[in-house]
Amino acid sequence: MKAWPKCGAPITDVKAALQEAAWDLDEAFAALRKRGLAAASKKASRHAAEGLIGLAHCANSSALVEVNSETDFVTKTAEFQQATAVVAEAALRIDPAHVSGVGDINVEALGAVPLQAGGSVADAVAACAGSVRENIRLRRACRLDAGTGVLASYLHASPAPGLGRMGALVRLESASGRLEGAAAEVAKDVGAKLAMHIVAARPMALDRQSMPADAVAAEREIQRAHAIRLNKPAAVLDRVIAGRVHKWMEEMCLLEQLFVMDAAPVQDVLRRASEAAGAPLAITGYVRLQVAEGLGSAKSDFASEVAATLEQTG
């Protein structure tokens, strides 16, 4: 379906708006934009558990964003892919005050970021929703700044440059000072491999000290219930629970995980890279996004799917 590049609306809607506005382009565009925002608002309650991860870089920062859609079909459209790329680029320009210490971006603040083409990020997302006729939403975003180190990234299941289904960023720095020259190249190389590992291994935290306390407490209760079901003697119960929680943390902490490329602990991979770089390397930040992680799937039946398809093509 052809669309008016200025607003992304279907050509039939553009023609109707132009006729209603007596062929005044600005008035027709304003009317179409209002309709698009209204349509996006009506779709906002519909389940959106598909989408793409967008990746963008600038001189000293990298950003990842997650933009959701209702169907995988829409993620293959130029409109959706362009909107995701626009959001990722805007994440590089957001005020640092809206970025947390671990890299999470305030999504509401990101939505308010103005775009060079006019309007805001939220407007661009709404315009995409109006164009593809699905619920499109900006769910999550994050950014890392290089500081005195280097940044590396990885995208998995990428349909186009800068887009994927899963992605990760990792920052490496050195206690000995700014990473430059050959040391920076070594850090970038191992960083790219670590970003791939992070996507595959899904670490919960960098190390045991940074593990979320509520997650550790929940795992301890799970292991307690499991040990009781196995009728472990009371005298060894606490020791069994502690051992299993220890093993779980080993699997969840990035530095203790076995590296996907050679089965050595990640902390050993860093040690070898430090020797090659001639400078101590440390992971000082990382983020990982996966499309629709934790959202579940929408409950539907054949009739509702047909109705949704008719609405999208109507």
Side-chain angles (χ1 to χ4, degrees), residues 209-244:
Q209 291 69 40
S210 53
M211 284 288 288
D214 56 347
V216 176
E219 182 65 21
R220 186 171 286 111
E221 288 307 308
I222 290 170
Q223 295 301 340
R224 179 177 296 278
H226 181 65
I228 290 173
R229 284 198 302 271
L230 294 178
N231 296 315
K232 294 293 182 181
V236 302
L237 189 63
D238 287 343
R239 191 161 65 250
V240 169
I241 294 168
R244 288 180 173 168

PDB file of all heavy atoms in Angstrom, residues 209-244:
ATOM      1  N   GLN A 209      27.964  -9.519  44.173  1.00  0.00           N
ATOM      2  CA  GLN A 209      27.669  -8.310  44.946  1.00  0.00           C
ATOM      3  C   GLN A 209      26.548  -7.490  44.313  1.00  0.00           C
ATOM      4  O   GLN A 209      25.846  -6.764  45.008  1.00  0.00           O
ATOM      5  CB  GLN A 209      28.924  -7.445  45.090  1.00  0.00           C
ATOM      6  CG  GLN A 209      30.007  -8.033  45.980  1.00  0.00           C
ATOM      7  CD  GLN A 209      30.676  -9.261  45.402  1.00  0.00           C
ATOM      8  OE1 GLN A 209      30.949  -9.318  44.188  1.00  0.00           O
ATOM      9  NE2 GLN A 209      30.907 -10.267  46.227  1.00  0.00           N
ATOM     10  N   SER A 210      26.370  -7.602  43.007  1.00  0.00           N
ATOM     11  CA  SER A 210      25.342  -6.809  42.329  1.00  0.00           C
ATOM     12  C   SER A 210      24.086  -7.613  41.994  1.00  0.00           C
ATOM     13  O   SER A 210      23.199  -7.110  41.302  1.00  0.00           O
ATOM     14  CB  SER A 210      25.920  -6.182  41.053  1.00  0.00           C
ATOM     15  OG  SER A 210      26.524  -7.158  40.226  1.00  0.00           O
ATOM     16  N   MET A 211      23.981  -8.831  42.504  1.00  0.00           N
ATOM     17  CA  MET A 211      22.771  -9.627  42.290  1.00  0.00           C
ATOM     18  C   MET A 211      21.601  -8.979  43.024  1.00  0.00           C
ATOM     19  O   MET A 211      21.736  -8.565  44.183  1.00  0.00           O
ATOM     20  CB  MET A 211      22.969 -11.049  42.802  1.00  0.00           C
ATOM     21  CG  MET A 211      23.803 -11.918  41.899  1.00  0.00           C
ATOM     22  SD  MET A 211      22.943 -12.387  40.375  1.00  0.00           S
ATOM     23  CE  MET A 211      21.754 -13.531  41.017  1.00  0.00           C
ATOM     24  N   PRO A 212      20.425  -8.885  42.402  1.00  0.00           N
ATOM     25  CA  PRO A 212      19.253  -8.330  43.084  1.00  0.00           C
ATOM     26  C   PRO A 212      18.897  -9.164  44.318  1.00  0.00           C
ATOM     27  O   PRO A 212      18.731 -10.387  44.220  1.00  0.00           O
ATOM     28  CB  PRO A 212      18.151  -8.414  42.018  1.00  0.00           C
ATOM     29  CG  PRO A 212      18.874  -8.523  40.721  1.00  0.00           C
ATOM     30  CD  PRO A 212      20.139  -9.256  41.002  1.00  0.00           C
ATOM     31  N   ALA A 213      18.766  -8.511  45.460  1.00  0.00           N
ATOM     32  CA  ALA A 213      18.502  -9.226  46.708  1.00  0.00           C
ATOM     33  C   ALA A 213      17.186  -9.994  46.659  1.00  0.00           C
ATOM     34  O   ALA A 213      17.096 -11.116  47.182  1.00  0.00           O
ATOM     35  CB  ALA A 213      18.498  -8.236  47.873  1.00  0.00           C
ATOM     36  N   ASP A 214      16.175  -9.416  46.005  1.00  0.00           N
ATOM     37  CA  ASP A 214      14.877 -10.101  45.949  1.00  0.00           C
ATOM     38  C   ASP A 214      14.953 -11.363  45.098  1.00  0.00           C
ATOM     39  O   ASP A 214      14.301 -12.370  45.404  1.00  0.00           O
ATOM     40  CB  ASP A 214      13.785  -9.163  45.439  1.00  0.00           C
ATOM     41  CG  ASP A 214      14.115  -8.551  44.080  1.00  0.00           C
ATOM     42  OD1 ASP A 214      15.279  -8.658  43.643  1.00  0.00           O
ATOM     43  OD2 ASP A 214      13.207  -7.958  43.472  1.00  0.00           O
ATOM     44  N   ALA A 215      15.775 -11.336  44.045  1.00  0.00           N
ATOM     45  CA  ALA A 215      15.928 -12.516  43.201  1.00  0.00           C
ATOM     46  C   ALA A 215      16.644 -13.634  43.959  1.00  0.00           C
ATOM     47  O   ALA A 215      16.277 -14.809  43.845  1.00  0.00           O
ATOM     48  CB  ALA A 215      16.707 -12.169  41.937  1.00  0.00           C
ATOM     49  N   VAL A 216      17.660 -13.278  44.734  1.00  0.00           N
ATOM     50  CA  VAL A 216      18.383 -14.272  45.531  1.00  0.00           C
ATOM     51  C   VAL A 216      17.452 -14.873  46.585  1.00  0.00           C
ATOM     52  O   VAL A 216      17.441 -16.095  46.797  1.00  0.00           O
ATOM     53  CB  VAL A 216      19.615 -13.635  46.196  1.00  0.00           C
ATOM     54  CG1 VAL A 216      20.313 -14.649  47.112  1.00  0.00           C
ATOM     55  CG2 VAL A 216      20.593 -13.132  45.143  1.00  0.00           C
ATOM     56  N   ALA A 217      16.660 -14.033  47.240  1.00  0.00           N
ATOM     57  CA  ALA A 217      15.727 -14.516  48.264  1.00  0.00           C
ATOM     58  C   ALA A 217      14.694 -15.452  47.654  1.00  0.00           C
ATOM     59  O   ALA A 217      14.353 -16.494  48.228  1.00  0.00           O
ATOM     60  CB  ALA A 217      15.041 -13.333  48.936  1.00  0.00           C
ATOM     61  N   ALA A 218      14.198 -15.102  46.459  1.00  0.00           N
ATOM     62  CA  ALA A 218      13.212 -15.950  45.786  1.00  0.00           C
ATOM     63  C   ALA A 218      13.805 -17.301  45.415  1.00  0.00           C
ATOM     64  O   ALA A 218      13.168 -18.350  45.582  1.00  0.00           O
ATOM     65  CB  ALA A 218      12.678 -15.243  44.547  1.00  0.00           C
ATOM     66  N   GLU A 219      15.048 -17.286  44.911  1.00  0.00           N
ATOM     67  CA  GLU A 219      15.699 -18.541  44.552  1.00  0.00           C
ATOM     68  C   GLU A 219      15.940 -19.404  45.787  1.00  0.00           C
ATOM     69  O   GLU A 219      15.782 -20.638  45.734  1.00  0.00           O
ATOM     70  CB  GLU A 219      17.022 -18.256  43.840  1.00  0.00           C
ATOM     71  CG  GLU A 219      17.766 -19.493  43.384  1.00  0.00           C
ATOM     72  CD  GLU A 219      17.028 -20.289  42.324  1.00  0.00           C
ATOM     73  OE1 GLU A 219      16.151 -19.721  41.649  1.00  0.00           O
ATOM     74  OE2 GLU A 219      17.346 -21.494  42.168  1.00  0.00           O
ATOM     75  N   ARG A 220      16.287 -18.781  46.898  1.00  0.00           N
ATOM     76  CA  ARG A 220      16.505 -19.531  48.132  1.00  0.00           C
ATOM     77  C   ARG A 220      15.228 -20.238  48.569  1.00  0.00           C
ATOM     78  O   ARG A 220      15.258 -21.400  49.000  1.00  0.00           O
ATOM     79  CB  ARG A 220      17.013 -18.587  49.231  1.00  0.00           C
ATOM     80  CG  ARG A 220      17.408 -19.306  50.515  1.00  0.00           C
ATOM     81  CD  ARG A 220      18.114 -18.393  51.494  1.00  0.00           C
ATOM     82  NE  ARG A 220      19.482 -18.117  51.061  1.00  0.00           N
ATOM     83  CZ  ARG A 220      19.905 -16.932  50.635  1.00  0.00           C
ATOM     84  NH1 ARG A 220      19.074 -15.913  50.580  1.00  0.00           N
ATOM     85  NH2 ARG A 220      21.156 -16.771  50.268  1.00  0.00           N
ATOM     86  N   GLU A 221      14.078 -19.564  48.429  1.00  0.00           N
ATOM     87  CA  GLU A 221      12.801 -20.185  48.803  1.00  0.00           C
ATOM     88  C   GLU A 221      12.444 -21.321  47.851  1.00  0.00           C
ATOM     89  O   GLU A 221      11.893 -22.339  48.276  1.00  0.00           O
ATOM     90  CB  GLU A 221      11.697 -19.125  48.811  1.00  0.00           C
ATOM     91  CG  GLU A 221      11.795 -18.150  49.966  1.00  0.00           C
ATOM     92  CD  GLU A 221      11.875 -18.850  51.311  1.00  0.00           C
ATOM     93  OE1 GLU A 221      11.002 -19.717  51.571  1.00  0.00           O
ATOM     94  OE2 GLU A 221      12.810 -18.565  52.089  1.00  0.00           O
ATOM     95  N   ILE A 222      12.754 -21.148  46.565  1.00  0.00           N
ATOM     96  CA  ILE A 222      12.512 -22.222  45.592  1.00  0.00           C
ATOM     97  C   ILE A 222      13.323 -23.459  45.953  1.00  0.00           C
ATOM     98  O   ILE A 222      12.813 -24.592  45.955  1.00  0.00           O
ATOM     99  CB  ILE A 222      12.867 -21.742  44.173  1.00  0.00           C
ATOM    100  CG1 ILE A 222      11.856 -20.698  43.695  1.00  0.00           C
ATOM    101  CG2 ILE A 222      12.929 -22.923  43.197  1.00  0.00           C
ATOM    102  CD1 ILE A 222      12.254 -20.005  42.409  1.00  0.00           C
ATOM    103  N   GLN A 223      14.597 -23.248  46.280  1.00  0.00           N
ATOM    104  CA  GLN A 223      15.463 -24.374  46.628  1.00  0.00           C
ATOM    105  C   GLN A 223      15.079 -24.998  47.963  1.00  0.00           C
ATOM    106  O   GLN A 223      15.210 -26.219  48.138  1.00  0.00           O
ATOM    107  CB  GLN A 223      16.930 -23.922  46.639  1.00  0.00           C
ATOM    108  CG  GLN A 223      17.464 -23.484  45.297  1.00  0.00           C
ATOM    109  CD  GLN A 223      17.373 -24.578  44.236  1.00  0.00           C
ATOM    110  OE1 GLN A 223      17.259 -25.764  44.544  1.00  0.00           O
ATOM    111  NE2 GLN A 223      17.409 -24.160  42.964  1.00  0.00           N
ATOM    112  N   ARG A 224      14.571 -24.216  48.875  1.00  0.00           N
ATOM    113  CA  ARG A 224      14.098 -24.756  50.158  1.00  0.00           C
ATOM    114  C   ARG A 224      12.904 -25.683  49.928  1.00  0.00           C
ATOM    115  O   ARG A 224      12.855 -26.800  50.456  1.00  0.00           O
ATOM    116  CB  ARG A 224      13.721 -23.634  51.123  1.00  0.00           C
ATOM    117  CG  ARG A 224      13.187 -24.123  52.467  1.00  0.00           C
ATOM    118  CD  ARG A 224      12.909 -22.960  53.407  1.00  0.00           C
ATOM    119  NE  ARG A 224      14.142 -22.260  53.738  1.00  0.00           N
ATOM    120  CZ  ARG A 224      14.995 -22.674  54.679  1.00  0.00           C
ATOM    121  NH1 ARG A 224      14.751 -23.779  55.367  1.00  0.00           N
ATOM    122  NH2 ARG A 224      16.093 -21.973  54.921  1.00  0.00           N
ATOM    123  N   ALA A 225      11.951 -25.206  49.125  1.00  0.00           N
ATOM    124  CA  ALA A 225      10.772 -26.024  48.834  1.00  0.00           C
ATOM    125  C   ALA A 225      11.171 -27.314  48.126  1.00  0.00           C
ATOM    126  O   ALA A 225      10.630 -28.393  48.404  1.00  0.00           O
ATOM    127  CB  ALA A 225       9.789 -25.228  47.990  1.00  0.00           C
ATOM    128  N   HIS A 226      12.138 -27.209  47.196  1.00  0.00           N
ATOM    129  CA  HIS A 226      12.601 -28.384  46.460  1.00  0.00           C
ATOM    130  C   HIS A 226      13.271 -29.382  47.403  1.00  0.00           C
ATOM    131  O   HIS A 226      13.022 -30.601  47.320  1.00  0.00           O
ATOM    132  CB  HIS A 226      13.574 -27.948  45.375  1.00  0.00           C
ATOM    133  CG  HIS A 226      14.090 -29.083  44.531  1.00  0.00           C
ATOM    134  ND1 HIS A 226      13.273 -29.820  43.704  1.00  0.00           N
ATOM    135  CD2 HIS A 226      15.345 -29.606  44.398  1.00  0.00           C
ATOM    136  CE1 HIS A 226      13.994 -30.755  43.096  1.00  0.00           C
ATOM    137  NE2 HIS A 226      15.250 -30.628  43.498  1.00  0.00           N
ATOM    138  N   ALA A 227      14.103 -28.896  48.308  1.00  0.00           N
ATOM    139  CA  ALA A 227      14.802 -29.775  49.244  1.00  0.00           C
ATOM    140  C   ALA A 227      13.825 -30.463  50.197  1.00  0.00           C
ATOM    141  O   ALA A 227      13.996 -31.642  50.531  1.00  0.00           O
ATOM    142  CB  ALA A 227      15.838 -28.969  50.030  1.00  0.00           C
ATOM    143  N   ILE A 228      12.802 -29.753  50.612  1.00  0.00           N
ATOM    144  CA  ILE A 228      11.801 -30.343  51.512  1.00  0.00           C
ATOM    145  C   ILE A 228      11.030 -31.441  50.793  1.00  0.00           C
ATOM    146  O   ILE A 228      10.747 -32.506  51.365  1.00  0.00           O
ATOM    147  CB  ILE A 228      10.847 -29.242  52.034  1.00  0.00           C
ATOM    148  CG1 ILE A 228      11.609 -28.324  53.002  1.00  0.00           C
ATOM    149  CG2 ILE A 228       9.623 -29.859  52.725  1.00  0.00           C
ATOM    150  CD1 ILE A 228      10.819 -27.113  53.443  1.00  0.00           C
ATOM    151  N   ARG A 229      10.696 -31.221  49.520  1.00  0.00           N
ATOM    152  CA  ARG A 229       9.992 -32.246  48.752  1.00  0.00           C
ATOM    153  C   ARG A 229      10.834 -33.510  48.603  1.00  0.00           C
ATOM    154  O   ARG A 229      10.303 -34.620  48.517  1.00  0.00           O
ATOM    155  CB  ARG A 229       9.627 -31.713  47.362  1.00  0.00           C
ATOM    156  CG  ARG A 229       8.446 -30.755  47.348  1.00  0.00           C
ATOM    157  CD  ARG A 229       7.871 -30.612  45.946  1.00  0.00           C
ATOM    158  NE  ARG A 229       8.858 -30.136  44.997  1.00  0.00           N
ATOM    159  CZ  ARG A 229       9.099 -28.845  44.751  1.00  0.00           C
ATOM    160  NH1 ARG A 229       8.428 -27.909  45.415  1.00  0.00           N
ATOM    161  NH2 ARG A 229      10.008 -28.490  43.865  1.00  0.00           N
ATOM    162  N   LEU A 230      12.149 -33.341  48.582  1.00  0.00           N
ATOM    163  CA  LEU A 230      13.055 -34.483  48.464  1.00  0.00           C
ATOM    164  C   LEU A 230      13.363 -35.121  49.814  1.00  0.00           C
ATOM    165  O   LEU A 230      14.177 -36.048  49.908  1.00  0.00           O
ATOM    166  CB  LEU A 230      14.360 -34.044  47.792  1.00  0.00           C
ATOM    167  CG  LEU A 230      14.246 -33.596  46.332  1.00  0.00           C
ATOM    168  CD1 LEU A 230      15.607 -33.155  45.814  1.00  0.00           C
ATOM    169  CD2 LEU A 230      13.675 -34.705  45.452  1.00  0.00           C
ATOM    170  N   ASN A 231      12.695 -34.616  50.870  1.00  0.00           N
ATOM    171  CA  ASN A 231      12.859 -35.161  52.237  1.00  0.00           C
ATOM    172  C   ASN A 231      14.306 -35.129  52.726  1.00  0.00           C
ATOM    173  O   ASN A 231      14.800 -36.087  53.336  1.00  0.00           O
ATOM    174  CB  ASN A 231      12.329 -36.607  52.302  1.00  0.00           C
ATOM    175  CG  ASN A 231      10.833 -36.677  52.048  1.00  0.00           C
ATOM    176  OD1 ASN A 231      10.076 -35.869  52.592  1.00  0.00           O
ATOM    177  ND2 ASN A 231      10.413 -37.631  51.235  1.00  0.00           N
ATOM    178  N   LYS A 232      14.998 -34.036  52.444  1.00  0.00           N
ATOM    179  CA  LYS A 232      16.356 -33.891  52.947  1.00  0.00           C
ATOM    180  C   LYS A 232      16.328 -33.762  54.472  1.00  0.00           C
ATOM    181  O   LYS A 232      15.460 -33.076  55.026  1.00  0.00           O
ATOM    182  CB  LYS A 232      17.021 -32.654  52.333  1.00  0.00           C
ATOM    183  CG  LYS A 232      17.258 -32.739  50.826  1.00  0.00           C
ATOM    184  CD  LYS A 232      18.287 -33.798  50.481  1.00  0.00           C
ATOM    185  CE  LYS A 232      18.546 -33.841  48.990  1.00  0.00           C
ATOM    186  NZ  LYS A 232      19.536 -34.893  48.639  1.00  0.00           N
ATOM    187  N   PRO A 233      17.251 -34.409  55.161  1.00  0.00           N
ATOM    188  CA  PRO A 233      17.282 -34.335  56.632  1.00  0.00           C
ATOM    189  C   PRO A 233      17.449 -32.896  57.109  1.00  0.00           C
ATOM    190  O   PRO A 233      18.160 -32.094  56.480  1.00  0.00           O
ATOM    191  CB  PRO A 233      18.496 -35.181  57.007  1.00  0.00           C
ATOM    192  CG  PRO A 233      18.720 -36.068  55.824  1.00  0.00           C
ATOM    193  CD  PRO A 233      18.291 -35.289  54.623  1.00  0.00           C
ATOM    194  N   ALA A 234      16.806 -32.553  58.210  1.00  0.00           N
ATOM    195  CA  ALA A 234      16.869 -31.193  58.743  1.00  0.00           C
ATOM    196  C   ALA A 234      18.305 -30.762  59.016  1.00  0.00           C
ATOM    197  O   ALA A 234      18.655 -29.589  58.865  1.00  0.00           O
ATOM    198  CB  ALA A 234      16.038 -31.099  60.012  1.00  0.00           C
ATOM    199  N   ALA A 235      19.156 -31.731  59.392  1.00  0.00           N
ATOM    200  CA  ALA A 235      20.537 -31.407  59.749  1.00  0.00           C
ATOM    201  C   ALA A 235      21.339 -30.890  58.553  1.00  0.00           C
ATOM    202  O   ALA A 235      22.310 -30.143  58.726  1.00  0.00           O
ATOM    203  CB  ALA A 235      21.219 -32.643  60.336  1.00  0.00           C
ATOM    204  N   VAL A 236      20.959 -31.290  57.340  1.00  0.00           N
ATOM    205  CA  VAL A 236      21.718 -30.871  56.153  1.00  0.00           C
ATOM    206  C   VAL A 236      20.917 -29.930  55.255  1.00  0.00           C
ATOM    207  O   VAL A 236      21.417 -29.503  54.209  1.00  0.00           O
ATOM    208  CB  VAL A 236      22.177 -32.094  55.337  1.00  0.00           C
ATOM    209  CG1 VAL A 236      23.032 -33.013  56.185  1.00  0.00           C
ATOM    210  CG2 VAL A 236      20.983 -32.845  54.760  1.00  0.00           C
ATOM    211  N   LEU A 237      19.684 -29.611  55.646  1.00  0.00           N
ATOM    212  CA  LEU A 237      18.797 -28.831  54.793  1.00  0.00           C
ATOM    213  C   LEU A 237      19.412 -27.496  54.388  1.00  0.00           C
ATOM    214  O   LEU A 237      19.459 -27.143  53.212  1.00  0.00           O
ATOM    215  CB  LEU A 237      17.461 -28.603  55.503  1.00  0.00           C
ATOM    216  CG  LEU A 237      16.342 -27.990  54.647  1.00  0.00           C
ATOM    217  CD1 LEU A 237      15.981 -28.920  53.499  1.00  0.00           C
ATOM    218  CD2 LEU A 237      15.116 -27.711  55.502  1.00  0.00           C
ATOM    219  N   ASP A 238      19.899 -26.739  55.382  1.00  0.00           N
ATOM    220  CA  ASP A 238      20.453 -25.419  55.080  1.00  0.00           C
ATOM    221  C   ASP A 238      21.685 -25.515  54.194  1.00  0.00           C
ATOM    222  O   ASP A 238      21.909 -24.671  53.321  1.00  0.00           O
ATOM    223  CB  ASP A 238      20.794 -24.678  56.378  1.00  0.00           C
ATOM    224  CG  ASP A 238      19.553 -24.201  57.115  1.00  0.00           C
ATOM    225  OD1 ASP A 238      18.477 -24.155  56.483  1.00  0.00           O
ATOM    226  OD2 ASP A 238      19.652 -23.887  58.312  1.00  0.00           O
ATOM    227  N   ARG A 239      22.485 -26.577  54.404  1.00  0.00           N
ATOM    228  CA  ARG A 239      23.693 -26.732  53.596  1.00  0.00           C
ATOM    229  C   ARG A 239      23.341 -27.070  52.146  1.00  0.00           C
ATOM    230  O   ARG A 239      23.974 -26.560  51.205  1.00  0.00           O
ATOM    231  CB  ARG A 239      24.578 -27.834  54.203  1.00  0.00           C
ATOM    232  CG  ARG A 239      25.971 -27.887  53.595  1.00  0.00           C
ATOM    233  CD  ARG A 239      26.956 -28.632  54.466  1.00  0.00           C
ATOM    234  NE  ARG A 239      26.635 -30.041  54.605  1.00  0.00           N
ATOM    235  CZ  ARG A 239      26.196 -30.609  55.734  1.00  0.00           C
ATOM    236  NH1 ARG A 239      26.022 -29.865  56.825  1.00  0.00           N
ATOM    237  NH2 ARG A 239      25.932 -31.894  55.791  1.00  0.00           N
ATOM    238  N   VAL A 240      22.325 -27.883  51.970  1.00  0.00           N
ATOM    239  CA  VAL A 240      21.876 -28.232  50.612  1.00  0.00           C
ATOM    240  C   VAL A 240      21.344 -26.992  49.891  1.00  0.00           C
ATOM    241  O   VAL A 240      21.674 -26.733  48.730  1.00  0.00           O
ATOM    242  CB  VAL A 240      20.793 -29.326  50.675  1.00  0.00           C
ATOM    243  CG1 VAL A 240      20.126 -29.498  49.305  1.00  0.00           C
ATOM    244  CG2 VAL A 240      21.395 -30.651  51.139  1.00  0.00           C
ATOM    245  N   ILE A 241      20.542 -26.203  50.602  1.00  0.00           N
ATOM    246  CA  ILE A 241      19.978 -24.986  50.013  1.00  0.00           C
ATOM    247  C   ILE A 241      21.088 -24.021  49.629  1.00  0.00           C
ATOM    248  O   ILE A 241      21.102 -23.462  48.531  1.00  0.00           O
ATOM    249  CB  ILE A 241      18.996 -24.319  50.998  1.00  0.00           C
ATOM    250  CG1 ILE A 241      17.781 -25.219  51.219  1.00  0.00           C
ATOM    251  CG2 ILE A 241      18.561 -22.946  50.487  1.00  0.00           C
ATOM    252  CD1 ILE A 241      16.913 -24.793  52.383  1.00  0.00           C
ATOM    253  N   ALA A 242      22.042 -23.826  50.541  1.00  0.00           N
ATOM    254  CA  ALA A 242      23.150 -22.905  50.268  1.00  0.00           C
ATOM    255  C   ALA A 242      23.958 -23.350  49.054  1.00  0.00           C
ATOM    256  O   ALA A 242      24.364 -22.526  48.224  1.00  0.00           O
ATOM    257  CB  ALA A 242      24.049 -22.804  51.493  1.00  0.00           C
ATOM    258  N   GLY A 243      24.174 -24.653  48.920  1.00  0.00           N
ATOM    259  CA  GLY A 243      24.939 -25.164  47.791  1.00  0.00           C
ATOM    260  C   GLY A 243      24.232 -24.936  46.467  1.00  0.00           C
ATOM    261  O   GLY A 243      24.860 -24.563  45.468  1.00  0.00           O
ATOM    262  N   ARG A 244      22.918 -25.134  46.466  1.00  0.00           N
ATOM    263  CA  ARG A 244      22.162 -24.948  45.234  1.00  0.00           C
ATOM    264  C   ARG A 244      22.047 -23.465  44.862  1.00  0.00           C
ATOM    265  O   ARG A 244      22.079 -23.119  43.678  1.00  0.00           O
ATOM    266  CB  ARG A 244      20.789 -25.597  45.375  1.00  0.00           C
ATOM    267  CG  ARG A 244      20.870 -27.120  45.349  1.00  0.00           C
ATOM    268  CD  ARG A 244      19.530 -27.767  45.485  1.00  0.00           C
ATOM    269  NE  ARG A 244      19.643 -29.206  45.288  1.00  0.00           N
ATOM    270  CZ  ARG A 244      18.677 -30.071  45.566  1.00  0.00           C
ATOM    271  NH1 ARG A 244      17.523 -29.639  46.038  1.00  0.00           N
ATOM    272  NH2 ARG A 244      18.852 -31.366  45.365  1.00  0.00           N
TER     273      ARG A 244
END
